[in-house]
Amino acid sequence: MKPNRRRFLQAGLLGTVAAAAVPASLSAYDGPDAGGKVKPFELDEITIAELQDGLRSGKFTARALAERYLARIEAVDKHGPTLNSVIAVNPDALTIADALDKERKDKGARGPMHGIPVLIKDNIGTADKMATTAGSLALVGAKPGQDAFLVKRLREAGVVLLGKANCSEWANFRGSRSSSGWSGRGGQTKNPYALDRNPSGSSSGSAAGVSANLCAAAVGTETNGSIVSPSSACGVVGVKPTVGLISRTGVIPIAHSFDTAGPMARTVRDAAFLLGALAGIDAADKATADAEGKAVADYAKDLDPKALKGATIGVLRSSFGILDSVDAVMNAALDALKQQGATLVDPVEIAGLSRLGNASFQVMLYEFKADLNDYLAGLGPDAPVKSLKDVIAFNQKNKKKELPYFGQELMVQAEAKGPLTDKEYLDALERCRRVTRAEGIDAVMDKHKLDALIAPTAGPAGLTDLLLGDHMRGGSSTVAAVAGYPSVTVPAGYVFGLPVGLSFFGRAWSEAKLLGLAYAFEQATKARKAPQFLATTDLRVE
């Protein structure tokens, strides 16, 4: 694949936006002859609070921030290292920013996200000039009739929608030998720490984009691991909230029992700001009714660097053993937790998890067919595909573009399933909830009086392999994902320069508690290091 074979800039954008008012120094890149290094960027590692300080003082405007990030996307994502993490930029980004600057001047800021540039995953619907395709060519030309509810929330918060992030096509629910971060429409996203390594998925572009400082923060989605795994692989914070905290209306689905959107950011505080903007009750998504009285208006307000003092945390040792080098990072993390005053219960185990079997996979197969058919029907009569069956036929007809590396057997299996009244489905769903909730997370937390559970999020990023698929090892996302409970991953350390994350899990609606513990760990360790866009990982031992 040629690294620049797809640019996905809207027609005329470079002439009217990225190159219009941005100093050349912000978009310059030292090519291969100079070592292939990205030049320093004015906004590298800047936090949302720092951006707001600059907006209040007049150092920045929302328009200037949008211009700088658009130039950064052009320099790093479309040229230079060619991360390929942004599938499309928003041609209205500067217009939105101008309006928010005027509003700030006339009325003041709406809140902590006013004027902040954010990327959203390409499976999140927008009724604007950007497409919503989940990376699939089958949805090119399909136009949602309205914004996804979470996009409405972002617009109300004053966010500048900078663009759409590339993702594993159909959120990685198409073929079993996929390469995370690859989509027929967007091509392959790269890991900014080592360009031959995989960013993991399916929120690949969101993770790589925020890690590479192409935006202030990003929104991803997860069914099982699709926020936390790429966040870990790309060295950022990822929050997979309780199912129902954030509306799924207008988001291309896999399975409503597990699906949720969530924030991805370089710091816990930034993720907390974005989570507050995303959360909200939506009459069209019944799951959000359960969030009544449980959501927090400002998840950043009470973050405390001393939150670990007196906390009791259970260590899920069954998720260790990915690699000796990962265990070394995790053991250092455990020492840091103890040094900050946490009591560790080590080990703890979720005894009944082995009884889960393939129940969650069966739920996904059934719900994918039902939920995707509902979503596609809602696009209206002009949609290019109207059912999962149509998508399968489209892929087969266009297999040179859509099926060159891996197939669509998961879609075929889902299409063969019956309705959501089938006993097989109902039994599988009951088992998922019982084993991971009452007999799982809730039981072990009750038994040991825990504030949270922890585990390594996943192993370091594997090499990207379009032929054989993903090689990433490990992963602890399943229990929280299947339960529909929250998890937060935060950078913990590095293995040969590749990031490894530590995950905090907890009960339903415990986002504030988990963010507090993750924040205290982050402040104690300061583990995140900005990526260097290396061509490959240096495996030399000195």
Side-chain angles (χ1 to χ4, degrees):
M1 291 172 58
K2 296 180 181 178
N4 285 325
R5 73 179 179 90
R6 296 190 184 277
R7 299 287 297 280
F8 297 109
L9 293 176
Q10 298 291 338
L13 176 76
L14 184 56
T16 60
V17 177
V22 184
S25 61
L26 290 178
S27 58
Y29 172 75
D30 291 333
D33 292 340
K37 293 186 178 180
V38 176
K39 287 186 176 180
F41 176 47
E42 178 187 359
L43 304 179
D44 265 340
E45 300 298 290
I46 196 166
T47 66
I48 289 173
E50 289 168 338
L51 290 172
Q52 284 297 345
D53 286 343
L55 288 164
R56 278 192 294 267
S57 70
K59 178 182 179 181
F60 302 133
T61 63
R63 181 187 179 91
L65 293 179
E67 287 174 338
R68 282 161 170 76
Y69 280 119
L70 287 169
R72 174 76 166 182
I73 290 168
E74 184 65 21
V76 173
D77 204 64
K78 307 306 173 190
H79 293 93
T82 57
L83 287 181
N84 207 33
S85 66
V86 180
I87 202 167
V89 295
N90 186 358
D92 294 327
L94 297 188
T95 301
I96 294 169
D98 285 340
L100 290 167
D101 282 333
K102 185 178 186 304
E103 182 179 333
R104 180 185 290 271
K105 182 178 179 180
D106 294 344
K107 301 178 182 179
R110 301 183 190 185
M113 296 302 297
H114 188 113
I116 302 300
V118 169
L119 289 169
I120 63 174
K121 190 175 177 180
D122 184 42
N123 63 348
I124 299 171
T126 53
D128 56 15
K129 296 172 186 174
M130 292 188 289
T132 303
T133 68
S136 173
L137 296 171
L139 287 180
V140 172
K143 301 296 286 186
Q146 59 182 356
D147 285 338
F149 185 86
L150 73 84
V151 171
K152 295 177 184 177
R153 293 281 301 167
L154 292 176
R155 294 193 197 275
E156 290 167 0
V159 163
V160 177
L161 290 182
L162 204 60
K164 296 282 186 78
N166 195 20
C167 58
S168 307
E169 187 176 305
W170 296 108
N172 228 357
F173 205 73
R174 198 197 80 186
S176 59
R177 208 181 64 248
S178 63
S179 172
S180 290
W182 183 90
S183 69
R185 179 176 170 231
Q188 178 66 54
T189 299
K190 302 175 186 176
N191 191 307
Y193 285 88
L195 302 178
D196 60 348
R197 294 274 163 173
N198 194 270
S200 189
S202 64
S203 302
S204 314
S206 298
V210 73
S211 185
N213 289 275
L214 306 185
C215 56
V219 181
T221 68
E222 174 164 330
T223 306
N224 185 349
S226 286
I227 288 174
V228 296
S229 183
S231 293
S232 176
C234 294
V236 299
V237 175
V239 181
K240 198 289 291 187
T242 306
V243 170
L245 185 66
I246 299 171
S247 167
R248 288 82 53 84
T249 301
V251 179
I252 298 173
I254 291 181
H256 62 264
S257 293
F258 311 142
D259 285 352
T260 181
M264 303 166 81
R266 290 181 293 275
T267 70
V268 173
R269 184 176 294 277
D270 285 356
F273 282 135
L274 185 52
L275 181 62
L278 290 166
I281 295 173
D282 171 20
D285 184 350
K286 293 179 181 179
T288 64
D290 294 336
E292 182 72 50
K294 302 181 182 73
V296 176
D298 184 353
Y299 285 94
K301 180 169 63 75
D302 295 324
L303 293 178
D304 181 356
K306 297 180 180 179
L308 284 165
K309 187 174 182 180
T312 304
I313 298 174
V315 181
L316 285 171
R317 279 284 168 184
S318 60
S319 294
F320 285 61
I322 300 168
L323 292 169
D324 289 346
S325 51
V326 174
D327 282 350
V329 170
M330 289 300 113
N331 288 332
L334 298 183
D335 288 342
L337 293 170
K338 289 185 285 189
Q339 289 168 9
Q340 294 303 305
T343 298
L344 301 185
V345 182
D346 184 8
V348 298
E349 300 298 337
I350 298 178
L353 201 56
S354 61
R355 296 195 296 273
L356 185 61
N358 73 343
S360 63
F361 180 58
Q362 292 302 316
V363 170
M364 284 191 281
L365 289 174
Y366 273 95
E367 292 188 1
F368 182 63
K369 178 182 179 180
D371 295 351
L372 185 60
N373 283 344
D374 284 347
Y375 174 86
L376 294 175
L379 292 177
D382 295 330
V385 288
K386 298 175 173 59
S387 67
L388 173 57
K389 185 177 181 180
D390 288 350
V391 174
I392 293 169
F394 176 94
N395 290 341
Q396 188 59 39
K397 182 179 180 181
N398 298 275
K399 60 184 179 181
K400 288 186 178 180
K401 294 179 179 179
E402 278 290 353
L403 308 175
Y405 306 115
F406 60 96
Q408 56 178 341
E409 60 272 17
L410 299 183
M411 286 186 161
V412 172
Q413 290 178 56
E415 176 60 26
K417 292 298 184 183
L420 299 187
T421 54
D422 277 6
K423 186 176 186 300
E424 181 183 45
Y425 164 73
L426 295 172
D427 288 348
L429 181 60
E430 186 278 332
R431 191 193 314 172
C432 285
R433 290 175 173 169
R434 172 173 45 82
V435 167
T436 60
R437 294 179 181 180
E439 297 176 5
I441 292 174
D442 293 334
V444 74
M445 293 188 74
D446 286 343
K447 178 180 179 180
H448 299 287
K449 297 180 172 57
L450 302 177
D451 293 292
L453 295 157
I454 57 171
T457 308
L463 290 166
T464 293
D465 187 338
L466 288 167
L467 182 62
L468 300 179
D470 289 341
H471 297 294
M472 195 168 181
R473 297 179 62 180
S476 59
S477 64
T478 295
V479 64
V482 175
Y485 285 7
S487 61
V488 177
T489 182
V490 62
Y494 295 81
V495 173
F496 289 102
L498 298 172
V500 174
L502 175 68
S503 279
F504 292 78
F505 310 101
R507 303 177 191 272
W509 317 111
S510 64
E511 286 82 4
K513 167 71 76 174
L514 299 179
L515 284 165
L517 298 174
Y519 176 75
F521 174 79
E522 173 194 62
Q523 295 304 299
T525 58
K526 301 287 187 181
R528 173 170 161 84
K529 301 174 184 176
Q532 297 300 306
F533 308 98
L534 301 177
T536 191
T537 310
D538 186 353
L539 296 176
R540 291 175 296 179
V541 179
E542 297 179 358

